[in-house]
Amino acid sequence: MKIGVFGGTFNPIHFGHLRAAEEAREALALDKVLFIPAGNPPLKSSNISDADKRYEMAKIATEGNRFLRSLI
């Protein structure tokens, strides 16, 4: 099984993130792409949603797509 890992702040997650993951999955013949939100992004300190909320947003955004999954 080939798995891609897509990390980022995802503040908020949006269509561009999902499309990039799909493009990478197709180009690299990946079986899955895992979204891993940054817990405490070191280069961003203001206006960042709580890590749990960003995880939930990523989880909701990837629901219904069997190739995308959100993990912590």
Side-chain angles (χ1 to χ4, degrees):
M1 179 175 275
K2 291 174 66 175
I3 299 174
V5 177
F6 189 9
T9 306
F10 304 129
N11 187 53
I13 192 165
H14 52 75
F15 182 74
H17 294 121
L18 301 174
R19 189 70 224 143
E22 281 290 349
E23 291 287 335
R25 186 186 67 77
E26 291 170 9
L28 300 171
L30 301 173
D31 297 302
K32 291 197 182 300
V33 177
L34 305 179
F35 282 71
I36 303 178
N40 188 12
L43 301 177
K44 298 181 179 182
S45 60
S46 62
N47 299 322
I48 301 293
S49 295
D50 179 66
D52 290 334
K53 289 181 182 177
R54 291 183 286 110
Y55 165 72
E56 286 300 322
M57 287 188 284
K59 186 175 172 183
I60 290 167
T62 58
E63 281 179 358
N65 186 321
R66 64 186 177 132
F67 301 112
L68 307 179
R69 178 129 319 122
S70 180
L71 297 177
I72 290 183

